[in-house]
Amino acid sequence: WEKMSSTKTLLFPCHRRYPTVEIRAETFNGSTHVPVPSDSAFLKALLFELRLIDDHIFVEHRDTCTRINHSSVYSVRTEGGDLWPVLAFQKSGLIYACLPLVEETLEPRPPLLTVSGLSQGLALLLGIVDYISPSRKNEAEMSAKIGQLRNLLIQACPFGTPLNTNIRSLNNSFDDIQEMPTDENQPAWRSNTYKGKPQVNVCITEKVKCMQYDKRDVVDAWQVYGAVNCKCDIEGSAPNVTLSLNLPTNGPPLQDIVVHHCVTSVDPAMLMSSSAEPLDDSVYNGPYRFPFIPPSDSFNLCYYTSQVPVPPILGCYQLIEEGSQLKITVNLKLHESIKNSFEYCEARIPFFNRGPIAQLEYKVSYGQLDLSREKSLLVWVIGQKFPKSLEVSLTGIVSFGTAGKEHPTDDVCTGNSAYVKLYFRIPDFTLTGCYVDQHSIQIFAPGKPKITASRELISSDYYIWNSKAPAPLVYKTLLD
Protein backbone atom coordinates (compact mmCIF):
# COMPACT_ATOMS: atom_id res chain seq x y z
CA TRP A 1 0.00 0.00 0.00
CA GLU A 2 1.75 3.13 -1.17
CA LYS A 3 0.80 6.81 -1.06
CA MET A 4 1.76 8.82 -4.11
CA SER A 5 2.27 12.60 -4.22
CA SER A 6 1.60 14.65 -7.34
CA THR A 7 5.21 14.09 -8.42
CA LYS A 8 4.90 10.34 -7.83
CA THR A 9 7.46 10.17 -5.02
CA LEU A 10 7.01 7.31 -2.58
CA LEU A 11 5.63 8.15 0.87
CA PHE A 12 4.73 5.83 3.79
CA PRO A 13 5.57 2.45 2.24
CA CYS A 14 3.91 -0.51 3.96
CA HIS A 15 4.27 -4.07 2.77
CA ARG A 16 4.28 -7.61 4.13
CA ARG A 17 5.53 -10.87 2.59
CA TYR A 18 4.61 -14.41 3.61
CA PRO A 19 7.42 -16.91 2.86
CA THR A 20 5.10 -19.82 3.72
CA VAL A 21 2.68 -18.73 1.00
CA GLU A 22 5.50 -18.28 -1.50
CA ILE A 23 6.65 -21.86 -0.82
CA ARG A 24 3.10 -23.13 -1.31
CA ALA A 25 2.85 -21.19 -4.58
CA GLU A 26 6.03 -22.82 -5.84
CA THR A 27 4.60 -26.24 -4.97
CA PHE A 28 1.22 -25.61 -6.61
CA ASN A 29 2.45 -23.78 -9.71
CA GLY A 30 5.35 -26.11 -10.55
CA SER A 31 7.18 -25.14 -13.73
CA THR A 32 4.85 -22.15 -14.23
CA HIS A 33 5.90 -20.56 -10.93
CA VAL A 34 7.28 -17.02 -11.10
CA PRO A 35 9.21 -15.96 -7.96
CA VAL A 36 8.26 -12.72 -6.26
CA PRO A 37 11.10 -10.21 -6.78
CA SER A 38 12.52 -7.88 -4.17
CA ASP A 39 10.16 -5.32 -2.68
CA SER A 40 11.67 -2.42 -4.61
CA ALA A 41 11.67 -4.34 -7.90
CA PHE A 42 8.04 -5.40 -7.42
CA LEU A 43 6.99 -1.83 -6.60
CA LYS A 44 8.73 -0.46 -9.69
CA ALA A 45 7.13 -3.13 -11.91
CA LEU A 46 3.68 -2.48 -10.41
CA LEU A 47 3.91 1.30 -10.87
CA PHE A 48 5.02 0.73 -14.45
CA GLU A 49 2.06 -1.60 -15.11
CA LEU A 50 -0.34 0.95 -13.61
CA ARG A 51 1.18 3.67 -15.84
CA LEU A 52 2.29 5.71 -12.84
CA ILE A 53 5.87 5.84 -14.12
CA ASP A 54 7.11 6.05 -17.72
CA ASP A 55 3.56 6.76 -18.83
CA HIS A 56 4.88 8.94 -21.66
CA ILE A 57 6.59 5.94 -23.29
CA PHE A 58 4.64 3.52 -25.46
CA VAL A 59 5.24 -0.07 -24.34
CA GLU A 60 3.41 -2.61 -26.52
CA HIS A 61 2.64 -5.28 -23.90
CA ARG A 62 1.22 -2.58 -21.60
CA ASP A 63 -0.25 0.08 -23.87
CA THR A 64 -1.55 -1.77 -26.92
CA CYS A 65 -5.24 -1.13 -27.59
CA THR A 66 -5.83 -4.89 -27.89
CA ARG A 67 -5.16 -5.24 -24.19
CA ILE A 68 -8.03 -3.68 -22.28
CA ASN A 69 -8.22 -4.52 -18.59
CA HIS A 70 -11.80 -4.86 -17.32
CA SER A 71 -10.86 -5.67 -13.73
CA SER A 72 -8.37 -4.74 -11.03
CA VAL A 73 -6.35 -7.89 -11.72
CA TYR A 74 -3.06 -7.32 -13.52
CA SER A 75 -0.15 -9.28 -14.93
CA VAL A 76 3.03 -7.54 -13.73
CA ARG A 77 6.15 -8.15 -15.81
CA THR A 78 9.31 -8.88 -13.77
CA GLU A 79 12.76 -10.22 -14.61
CA GLY A 80 11.65 -13.71 -13.58
CA GLY A 81 8.47 -13.64 -15.65
CA ASP A 82 4.93 -12.30 -15.48
CA LEU A 83 3.44 -12.23 -11.98
CA TRP A 84 -0.28 -13.04 -12.09
CA PRO A 85 -2.79 -12.36 -10.62
CA VAL A 86 -1.80 -9.08 -8.95
CA LEU A 87 -4.84 -7.41 -7.43
CA ALA A 88 -4.34 -3.63 -7.35
CA PHE A 89 -6.43 -0.46 -7.26
CA GLN A 90 -6.07 3.21 -6.33
CA LYS A 91 -8.12 4.94 -3.66
CA SER A 92 -7.65 8.53 -2.41
CA GLY A 93 -4.02 8.75 -3.51
CA LEU A 94 -3.08 5.29 -2.19
CA ILE A 95 -2.34 2.12 -4.11
CA TYR A 96 -3.63 -1.08 -2.50
CA ALA A 97 -2.20 -4.29 -3.92
CA CYS A 98 -1.72 -7.96 -3.08
CA LEU A 99 -0.64 -11.14 -4.85
CA PRO A 100 -3.14 -13.95 -4.08
CA LEU A 101 -2.15 -17.61 -4.05
CA VAL A 102 -3.32 -19.71 -7.01
CA GLU A 103 -3.61 -23.32 -5.94
CA GLU A 104 -3.00 -24.82 -9.38
CA THR A 105 -0.72 -24.40 -12.37
CA LEU A 106 -0.81 -21.02 -14.11
CA GLU A 107 -0.70 -22.25 -17.71
CA PRO A 108 -3.26 -21.96 -19.06
CA ARG A 109 -4.48 -19.26 -16.73
CA PRO A 110 -7.55 -20.36 -14.77
CA PRO A 111 -10.73 -18.22 -14.84
CA LEU A 112 -10.71 -15.45 -12.23
CA LEU A 113 -13.87 -16.80 -10.60
CA THR A 114 -12.08 -20.06 -9.74
CA VAL A 115 -9.24 -18.33 -7.84
CA SER A 116 -10.58 -18.15 -4.27
CA GLY A 117 -7.57 -16.13 -3.14
CA LEU A 118 -8.77 -13.15 -5.19
CA SER A 119 -11.95 -12.68 -3.14
CA GLN A 120 -9.99 -13.16 0.09
CA GLY A 121 -7.37 -10.64 -1.00
CA LEU A 122 -10.00 -8.12 -2.09
CA ALA A 123 -11.80 -8.44 1.26
CA LEU A 124 -8.53 -7.85 3.10
CA LEU A 125 -7.64 -4.80 0.97
CA LEU A 126 -11.11 -3.32 1.44
CA GLY A 127 -10.71 -3.83 5.18
CA ILE A 128 -7.46 -1.87 5.04
CA VAL A 129 -9.19 0.87 3.01
CA ASP A 130 -11.91 1.09 5.66
CA TYR A 131 -9.23 1.34 8.37
CA ILE A 132 -7.11 4.03 6.68
CA SER A 133 -9.63 6.15 4.73
CA PRO A 134 -11.08 8.16 7.67
CA SER A 135 -7.61 9.62 8.25
CA ARG A 136 -6.70 10.50 4.67
CA LYS A 137 -6.98 14.29 5.30
CA ASN A 138 -4.71 14.18 8.34
CA GLU A 139 -1.16 13.37 7.27
CA ALA A 140 0.15 12.67 10.79
CA GLU A 141 -2.78 10.43 11.72
CA MET A 142 -2.51 8.51 8.47
CA SER A 143 1.21 8.02 8.99
CA ALA A 144 0.55 6.62 12.46
CA LYS A 145 -2.13 4.26 11.18
CA ILE A 146 0.05 2.93 8.38
CA GLY A 147 2.81 2.42 10.95
CA GLN A 148 0.43 0.27 13.00
CA LEU A 149 -0.79 -1.65 9.98
CA ARG A 150 2.09 -4.13 9.88
CA ASN A 151 1.32 -5.21 13.43
CA LEU A 152 -2.41 -5.43 12.82
CA LEU A 153 -1.81 -7.70 9.84
CA ILE A 154 -0.11 -10.22 12.11
CA GLN A 155 -3.45 -10.74 13.81
CA ALA A 156 -5.65 -10.32 10.74
CA CYS A 157 -3.54 -12.51 8.45
CA PRO A 158 -0.90 -14.34 10.53
CA PHE A 159 0.27 -16.93 7.97
CA GLY A 160 -1.02 -15.43 4.74
CA THR A 161 -4.67 -16.53 4.99
CA PRO A 162 -7.04 -13.75 6.10
CA LEU A 163 -8.73 -14.65 9.39
CA ASN A 164 -10.35 -11.27 10.04
CA THR A 165 -10.71 -8.67 7.30
CA ASN A 166 -12.26 -6.07 9.62
CA ILE A 167 -8.97 -4.31 10.36
CA ARG A 168 -10.65 -1.47 12.22
CA SER A 169 -11.99 -3.91 14.83
CA LEU A 170 -8.42 -5.06 15.60
CA ASN A 171 -7.15 -1.57 16.40
CA ASN A 172 -8.31 -1.68 20.03
CA SER A 173 -6.08 -4.66 20.74
CA PHE A 174 -3.01 -3.08 19.16
CA ASP A 175 -1.14 -2.75 22.45
CA ASP A 176 -1.35 -6.52 22.99
CA ILE A 177 0.12 -7.43 19.59
CA GLN A 178 3.77 -8.34 19.27
CA GLU A 179 5.24 -8.05 15.80
CA MET A 180 7.96 -10.59 16.54
CA PRO A 181 8.48 -12.98 19.46
CA THR A 182 10.67 -11.42 22.14
CA ASP A 183 12.44 -14.76 22.61
CA GLU A 184 14.28 -16.18 19.60
CA ASN A 185 13.31 -19.68 20.79
CA GLN A 186 9.60 -18.86 20.65
CA PRO A 187 8.06 -20.76 17.69
CA ALA A 188 6.07 -18.90 15.05
CA TRP A 189 2.83 -20.68 15.97
CA ARG A 190 2.99 -19.38 19.56
CA SER A 191 1.90 -15.82 18.83
CA ASN A 192 1.98 -14.50 22.40
CA THR A 193 2.96 -15.49 25.92
CA TYR A 194 0.54 -16.30 28.73
CA LYS A 195 0.65 -14.65 32.13
CA GLY A 196 -1.29 -16.23 34.98
CA LYS A 197 -2.05 -19.50 36.69
CA PRO A 198 -1.06 -22.42 34.45
CA GLN A 199 -3.85 -24.70 33.28
CA VAL A 200 -4.28 -27.39 30.63
CA ASN A 201 -7.59 -28.54 29.15
CA VAL A 202 -7.77 -31.69 27.02
CA CYS A 203 -10.89 -33.08 25.34
CA ILE A 204 -11.12 -36.27 23.26
CA THR A 205 -14.05 -36.15 20.85
CA GLU A 206 -14.91 -39.33 18.96
CA LYS A 207 -17.55 -39.38 16.24
CA VAL A 208 -19.15 -42.53 14.90
CA LYS A 209 -20.57 -42.92 11.39
CA CYS A 210 -22.84 -45.86 10.70
CA MET A 211 -24.87 -47.50 7.93
CA GLN A 212 -27.15 -50.36 9.01
CA TYR A 213 -29.34 -52.31 6.59
CA ASP A 214 -30.54 -55.41 8.50
CA LYS A 215 -30.00 -57.49 5.34
CA ARG A 216 -28.11 -60.69 4.69
CA ASP A 217 -26.78 -59.56 1.34
CA VAL A 218 -25.63 -56.09 2.45
CA VAL A 219 -22.89 -55.66 5.04
CA ASP A 220 -23.37 -53.02 7.73
CA ALA A 221 -20.57 -50.47 7.99
CA TRP A 222 -19.38 -48.14 10.73
CA GLN A 223 -16.35 -45.97 11.35
CA VAL A 224 -14.93 -44.11 14.32
CA TYR A 225 -12.75 -41.04 14.04
CA GLY A 226 -11.45 -38.90 16.87
CA ALA A 227 -9.76 -35.59 17.60
CA VAL A 228 -7.81 -34.53 20.69
CA ASN A 229 -8.34 -30.84 21.40
CA CYS A 230 -5.97 -28.97 23.74
CA LYS A 231 -5.83 -25.53 25.32
CA CYS A 232 -2.61 -24.90 27.22
CA ASP A 233 -2.34 -21.69 29.23
CA ILE A 234 1.29 -21.90 30.33
CA GLU A 235 3.87 -19.21 30.95
CA GLY A 236 7.02 -19.10 28.89
CA SER A 237 7.93 -18.49 25.27
CA ALA A 238 8.35 -22.20 24.40
CA PRO A 239 7.00 -24.48 27.16
CA ASN A 240 7.40 -28.21 26.61
CA VAL A 241 4.42 -30.47 27.25
CA THR A 242 4.10 -34.24 26.91
CA LEU A 243 0.66 -35.85 26.73
CA SER A 244 -0.18 -39.55 26.50
CA LEU A 245 -3.28 -41.23 25.10
CA ASN A 246 -4.05 -44.60 26.63
CA LEU A 247 -6.26 -47.52 25.65
CA PRO A 248 -7.80 -50.24 27.83
CA THR A 249 -6.28 -53.70 27.58
CA ASN A 250 -8.76 -54.87 24.96
CA GLY A 251 -9.17 -51.51 23.23
CA PRO A 252 -8.84 -51.38 19.41
CA PRO A 253 -5.63 -49.61 18.32
CA LEU A 254 -5.67 -46.08 16.95
CA GLN A 255 -4.96 -45.79 13.24
CA ASP A 256 -4.41 -43.15 10.54
CA ILE A 257 -2.94 -40.82 13.16
CA VAL A 258 -2.23 -37.26 11.97
CA VAL A 259 -0.45 -34.89 14.36
CA HIS A 260 -0.32 -31.11 14.69
CA HIS A 261 2.84 -29.41 13.45
CA CYS A 262 3.71 -28.32 17.01
CA VAL A 263 4.46 -31.97 17.96
CA THR A 264 8.24 -32.23 18.21
CA SER A 265 8.66 -36.02 17.82
CA VAL A 266 6.59 -39.21 17.58
CA ASP A 267 7.21 -42.94 17.51
CA PRO A 268 7.26 -43.89 13.79
CA ALA A 269 5.31 -47.07 14.59
CA MET A 270 2.44 -44.85 15.76
CA LEU A 271 2.08 -43.29 12.31
CA MET A 272 2.42 -46.53 10.36
CA SER A 273 -0.88 -48.07 11.47
CA SER A 274 -3.36 -47.65 8.62
CA SER A 275 -7.04 -48.63 8.43
CA ALA A 276 -6.48 -49.52 4.76
CA GLU A 277 -4.58 -52.64 5.86
CA PRO A 278 -5.80 -55.60 7.96
CA LEU A 279 -4.94 -55.49 11.65
CA ASP A 280 -2.27 -57.87 12.95
CA ASP A 281 -0.60 -58.57 16.27
CA SER A 282 2.25 -56.17 15.53
CA VAL A 283 0.01 -53.09 15.36
CA TYR A 284 1.06 -50.36 17.77
CA ASN A 285 -1.50 -50.08 20.57
CA GLY A 286 -0.06 -47.38 22.80
CA PRO A 287 0.49 -45.57 24.92
CA TYR A 288 0.59 -42.79 22.35
CA ARG A 289 3.00 -40.09 23.52
CA PHE A 290 2.98 -36.58 22.06
CA PRO A 291 5.70 -34.11 23.12
CA PHE A 292 4.84 -30.64 21.86
CA ILE A 293 5.21 -26.88 22.26
CA PRO A 294 1.58 -25.69 22.38
CA PRO A 295 0.19 -22.75 20.41
CA SER A 296 -1.39 -19.93 22.39
CA ASP A 297 -4.94 -20.83 21.35
CA SER A 298 -7.03 -23.98 21.33
CA PHE A 299 -5.84 -26.54 18.76
CA ASN A 300 -6.31 -30.18 17.74
CA LEU A 301 -3.24 -32.11 18.84
CA CYS A 302 -4.04 -35.11 16.64
CA TYR A 303 -6.69 -36.93 14.64
CA TYR A 304 -7.19 -40.69 14.39
CA THR A 305 -9.53 -43.47 13.26
CA SER A 306 -10.19 -46.90 14.74
CA GLN A 307 -11.86 -50.17 13.78
CA VAL A 308 -14.23 -50.96 16.65
CA PRO A 309 -15.97 -54.37 16.63
CA VAL A 310 -19.59 -53.18 16.99
CA PRO A 311 -21.57 -49.96 16.60
CA PRO A 312 -22.93 -48.47 19.83
CA ILE A 313 -26.61 -48.80 18.89
CA LEU A 314 -27.97 -51.63 16.73
CA GLY A 315 -31.17 -50.91 14.89
CA CYS A 316 -33.85 -52.31 12.63
CA TYR A 317 -36.30 -50.20 10.61
CA GLN A 318 -39.22 -51.59 8.64
CA LEU A 319 -41.54 -49.45 6.52
CA ILE A 320 -44.37 -51.09 4.57
CA GLU A 321 -46.83 -49.22 2.38
CA GLU A 322 -50.43 -50.47 2.51
CA GLY A 323 -52.77 -48.38 0.40
CA SER A 324 -52.66 -44.78 1.62
CA GLN A 325 -51.00 -45.74 4.90
CA LEU A 326 -47.50 -46.57 6.03
CA LYS A 327 -46.78 -49.13 8.73
CA ILE A 328 -43.50 -48.46 10.53
CA THR A 329 -41.53 -50.47 13.08
CA VAL A 330 -38.28 -49.33 14.69
CA ASN A 331 -36.25 -51.42 17.13
CA LEU A 332 -33.09 -50.09 18.79
CA LYS A 333 -30.70 -51.87 21.12
CA LEU A 334 -27.83 -50.30 23.06
CA HIS A 335 -24.79 -52.57 23.10
CA GLU A 336 -23.95 -53.76 26.61
CA SER A 337 -20.40 -52.36 26.40
CA ILE A 338 -21.68 -48.79 25.90
CA LYS A 339 -22.13 -46.40 28.81
CA ASN A 340 -25.87 -45.95 29.36
CA SER A 341 -25.76 -42.26 30.14
CA PHE A 342 -26.60 -39.81 27.34
CA GLU A 343 -26.72 -36.04 27.20
CA TYR A 344 -29.33 -36.59 24.50
CA CYS A 345 -30.50 -39.46 22.32
CA GLU A 346 -33.19 -39.27 19.65
CA ALA A 347 -34.22 -40.95 16.42
CA ARG A 348 -35.58 -38.86 13.55
CA ILE A 349 -37.83 -40.48 10.95
CA PRO A 350 -38.36 -38.30 7.84
CA PHE A 351 -41.01 -38.95 5.19
CA PHE A 352 -39.91 -37.70 1.76
CA ASN A 353 -42.00 -36.91 -1.32
CA ARG A 354 -45.25 -37.12 0.61
CA GLY A 355 -47.74 -34.66 2.02
CA PRO A 356 -48.05 -33.60 5.67
CA ILE A 357 -48.84 -36.28 8.22
CA ALA A 358 -52.62 -36.15 8.61
CA GLN A 359 -53.10 -39.08 10.98
CA LEU A 360 -50.72 -40.88 13.32
CA GLU A 361 -51.31 -43.89 15.54
CA TYR A 362 -48.30 -45.13 17.46
CA LYS A 363 -46.95 -47.00 20.44
CA VAL A 364 -43.52 -46.53 22.01
CA SER A 365 -42.06 -48.81 24.65
CA TYR A 366 -39.88 -46.00 25.97
CA GLY A 367 -39.40 -42.27 25.50
CA GLN A 368 -41.65 -39.77 23.74
CA LEU A 369 -42.68 -39.29 20.10
CA ASP A 370 -43.12 -35.76 18.70
CA LEU A 371 -44.31 -34.48 15.32
CA SER A 372 -42.37 -31.66 13.66
CA ARG A 373 -44.07 -28.35 12.89
CA GLU A 374 -44.00 -29.11 9.15
CA LYS A 375 -45.67 -32.49 9.90
CA SER A 376 -43.13 -34.37 7.79
CA LEU A 377 -40.79 -35.67 10.50
CA LEU A 378 -41.26 -37.90 13.55
CA VAL A 379 -38.83 -37.23 16.41
CA TRP A 380 -38.50 -40.07 18.88
CA VAL A 381 -36.89 -38.64 22.02
CA ILE A 382 -35.37 -41.58 23.89
CA GLY A 383 -33.79 -39.34 26.52
CA GLN A 384 -30.75 -39.80 28.70
CA LYS A 385 -30.96 -43.54 29.35
CA PHE A 386 -32.09 -46.76 27.75
CA PRO A 387 -34.23 -49.03 29.98
CA LYS A 388 -32.64 -51.95 31.85
CA SER A 389 -33.34 -54.24 28.89
CA LEU A 390 -31.27 -51.83 26.73
CA GLU A 391 -33.97 -52.23 24.05
CA VAL A 392 -36.65 -49.80 22.84
CA SER A 393 -39.28 -50.09 20.12
CA LEU A 394 -41.70 -47.95 18.15
CA THR A 395 -44.65 -49.09 16.03
CA GLY A 396 -47.08 -46.86 14.18
CA ILE A 397 -49.44 -46.25 11.29
CA VAL A 398 -49.06 -43.01 9.33
CA SER A 399 -51.32 -41.44 6.70
CA PHE A 400 -50.69 -38.26 4.71
CA GLY A 401 -52.49 -35.26 3.26
CA THR A 402 -51.86 -33.43 0.00
CA ALA A 403 -48.19 -32.58 -0.66
CA GLY A 404 -47.11 -28.94 -0.75
CA LYS A 405 -43.90 -27.12 -1.69
CA GLU A 406 -42.79 -26.84 1.93
CA HIS A 407 -42.55 -30.59 2.47
CA PRO A 408 -39.20 -32.41 2.02
CA THR A 409 -38.37 -34.11 -1.23
CA ASP A 410 -35.50 -36.40 -2.13
CA ASP A 411 -34.70 -37.73 -5.60
CA VAL A 412 -32.75 -40.63 -4.09
CA CYS A 413 -35.06 -41.75 -1.27
CA THR A 414 -38.20 -42.56 -3.26
CA GLY A 415 -40.99 -45.00 -2.52
CA ASN A 416 -40.18 -47.16 0.50
CA SER A 417 -36.48 -46.32 0.38
CA ALA A 418 -36.17 -44.49 3.71
CA TYR A 419 -34.13 -44.31 6.87
CA VAL A 420 -34.04 -43.49 10.56
CA LYS A 421 -31.23 -41.17 11.62
CA LEU A 422 -29.87 -41.27 15.18
CA TYR A 423 -28.53 -38.30 17.11
CA PHE A 424 -26.79 -38.80 20.44
CA ARG A 425 -23.96 -37.66 22.68
CA ILE A 426 -22.42 -39.70 25.50
CA PRO A 427 -20.23 -37.58 27.83
CA ASP A 428 -17.18 -39.03 29.58
CA PHE A 429 -17.00 -41.97 27.15
CA THR A 430 -15.20 -43.00 23.97
CA LEU A 431 -16.01 -45.97 21.76
CA THR A 432 -12.35 -46.97 21.53
CA GLY A 433 -11.88 -46.54 25.29
CA CYS A 434 -9.20 -43.93 24.56
CA TYR A 435 -8.50 -41.63 27.51
CA VAL A 436 -5.95 -39.14 28.84
CA ASP A 437 -4.27 -40.01 32.10
CA GLN A 438 -3.99 -36.64 33.86
CA HIS A 439 -1.04 -37.89 35.94
CA SER A 440 0.90 -38.74 32.75
CA ILE A 441 0.83 -35.15 31.46
CA GLN A 442 4.29 -33.66 31.86
CA ILE A 443 4.78 -29.91 31.75
CA PHE A 444 8.28 -28.48 31.85
CA ALA A 445 7.35 -25.02 33.08
CA PRO A 446 7.24 -23.23 36.46
CA GLY A 447 4.18 -23.70 38.66
CA LYS A 448 1.79 -26.59 39.16
CA PRO A 449 -0.85 -26.43 36.44
CA LYS A 450 -4.51 -27.31 36.83
CA ILE A 451 -5.25 -30.17 34.42
CA THR A 452 -8.74 -30.93 33.11
CA ALA A 453 -9.38 -33.94 30.86
CA SER A 454 -12.70 -34.89 29.29
CA ARG A 455 -14.01 -37.08 26.49
CA GLU A 456 -17.21 -37.63 24.53
CA LEU A 457 -18.82 -39.78 21.85
CA ILE A 458 -21.06 -38.08 19.25
CA SER A 459 -23.10 -39.56 16.40
CA SER A 460 -22.35 -38.44 12.86
CA ASP A 461 -24.35 -39.64 9.83
CA TYR A 462 -25.80 -42.54 11.81
CA TYR A 463 -28.35 -44.17 9.46
CA ILE A 464 -30.62 -47.22 9.83
CA TRP A 465 -32.19 -48.09 6.48
CA ASN A 466 -35.60 -49.62 5.79
CA SER A 467 -34.93 -53.34 5.52
CA LYS A 468 -38.10 -53.83 3.42
CA ALA A 469 -36.69 -51.76 0.53
CA PRO A 470 -33.29 -51.41 -1.16
CA ALA A 471 -31.00 -48.70 0.18
CA PRO A 472 -29.86 -46.28 -2.55
CA LEU A 473 -26.42 -47.16 -3.86
CA VAL A 474 -25.13 -43.61 -3.28
CA TYR A 475 -25.57 -44.05 0.46
CA LYS A 476 -23.85 -47.42 0.56
CA THR A 477 -20.53 -45.77 -0.32
CA LEU A 478 -20.61 -42.93 2.23
CA LEU A 479 -18.11 -44.71 4.47
CA ASP A 480 -15.70 -45.69 1.70
Side-chain angles (χ1 to χ4, degrees), residues 317 346-350 377-381 419-423:
Y317 178 36
E346 65 182 42
R348 299 184 184 181
I349 310 170
L377 175 72
L378 296 180
V379 181
W380 182 11
V381 180
Y419 59 77
V420 174
K421 189 173 183 181
L422 299 188
Y423 296 82

Side-chain angles (χ1 to χ4, degrees), residues 361-403:
E361 298 177 13
Y362 69 92
K363 180 181 179 181
V364 290
S365 66
Y366 195 81
Q368 175 182 332
L369 188 68
D370 297 325
L371 179 62
S372 69
R373 181 181 301 176
E374 299 80 11
K375 296 184 177 182
S376 60
L377 175 72
L378 296 180
V379 181
W380 182 11
V381 180
I382 298 168
Q384 296 180 322
K385 272 185 176 294
F386 274 67
K388 288 185 178 180
S389 64
L390 302 182
E391 296 185 36
V392 294
S393 63
L394 160 67
T395 57
I397 299 176
V398 187
S399 58
F400 303 87
T402 305

Side-chain angles (χ1 to χ4, degrees), residues 2-12 47 52-53 93:
E2 320 291 343
K3 183 177 181 183
M4 306 301 298
S5 70
S6 58
T7 56
K8 301 183 179 65
T9 55
L10 182 61
L11 302 174
F12 311 133
L47 296 179
L52 294 174
I53 58 174

Side-chain angles (χ1 to χ4, degrees), residues 11-183:
L11 302 174
F12 311 133
C14 176
H15 62 271
R16 182 165 183 81
R17 297 178 68 136
Y18 294 94
T20 53
V21 179
E22 293 183 38
I23 293 173
R24 289 178 64 199
E26 187 174 357
T27 303
F28 280 119
N29 304 155
S31 60
T32 61
H33 176 69
V34 176
V36 181
S38 66
D39 299 332
S40 59
F42 173 78
L43 175 60
K44 183 177 180 180
L46 176 62
L47 296 179
F48 181 82
E49 178 65 28
L50 297 177
R51 297 181 176 87
L52 294 174
I53 58 174
D54 295 335
D55 55 338
H56 61 287
I57 303 174
F58 177 81
V59 180
E60 184 172 356
H61 82 270
R62 181 191 69 176
D63 302 319
T64 176
C65 61
T66 60
R67 182 185 174 189
I68 301 175
N69 200 20
H70 296 285
S71 69
S72 297
V73 179
Y74 298 89
S75 176
V76 176
R77 181 157 296 186
T78 68
E79 289 187 2
D82 290 348
L83 274 179
W84 182 91
V86 176
L87 180 61
F89 59 87
Q90 298 183 60
K91 178 77 172 177
S92 302
L94 285 165
I95 301 172
Y96 298 84
C98 68
L99 177 60
L101 174 66
V102 180
E103 297 180 324
E104 55 185 299
T105 59
L106 298 174
E107 295 294 343
R109 287 182 181 174
L112 294 181
L113 289 177
T114 66
V115 182
S116 60
L118 281 172
S119 58
Q120 294 176 347
L122 180 60
L124 182 63
L125 292 182
L126 291 177
I128 296 172
V129 171
D130 182 62
Y131 166 71
I132 291 178
S133 290
S135 306
R136 67 181 187 274
K137 295 181 180 179
N138 187 320
E139 196 97 340
E141 185 178 341
M142 181 183 290
S143 178
K145 278 195 170 185
I146 294 179
Q148 293 177 357
L149 191 54
R150 281 184 56 82
N151 293 326
L152 294 176
L153 283 173
I154 294 175
Q155 187 173 350
C157 193
F159 295 107
T161 299
L163 302 180
N164 187 350
T165 57
N166 188 354
I167 306 299
R168 187 187 296 183
S169 69
L170 303 176
N171 194 32
N172 293 333
S173 58
F174 167 68
D175 293 336
D176 298 327
I177 301 173
Q178 301 176 14
E179 180 174 354
M180 293 294 290
T182 55
D183 189 329

Side-chain angles (χ1 to χ4, degrees), residues 258-336:
V258 179
V259 300
H260 192 273
H261 60 74
C262 72
V263 176
T264 54
S265 65
V266 290
D267 189 327
M270 185 192 308
L271 304 180
M272 294 299 291
S273 179
S274 170
S275 58
E277 299 177 0
L279 293 174
D280 56 47
D281 295 337
S282 64
V283 171
Y284 190 87
N285 58 2
Y288 303 86
R289 296 181 71 256
F290 300 92
F292 60 95
I293 300 174
S296 306
D297 300 319
S298 175
F299 71 103
N300 285 329
L301 177 66
C302 69
Y303 300 91
Y304 62 84
T305 65
S306 185
Q307 301 181 42
V308 296
V310 291
I313 299 176
L314 295 168
C316 173
Y317 178 36
Q318 295 184 351
L319 181 151
I320 302 174
E321 191 165 3
E322 294 185 354
S324 60
Q325 295 180 332
L326 293 180
K327 288 188 175 181
I328 61 171
T329 302
V330 184
N331 295 308
L332 302 175
K333 181 179 181 180
L334 180 68
H335 194 270
E336 56 268 18

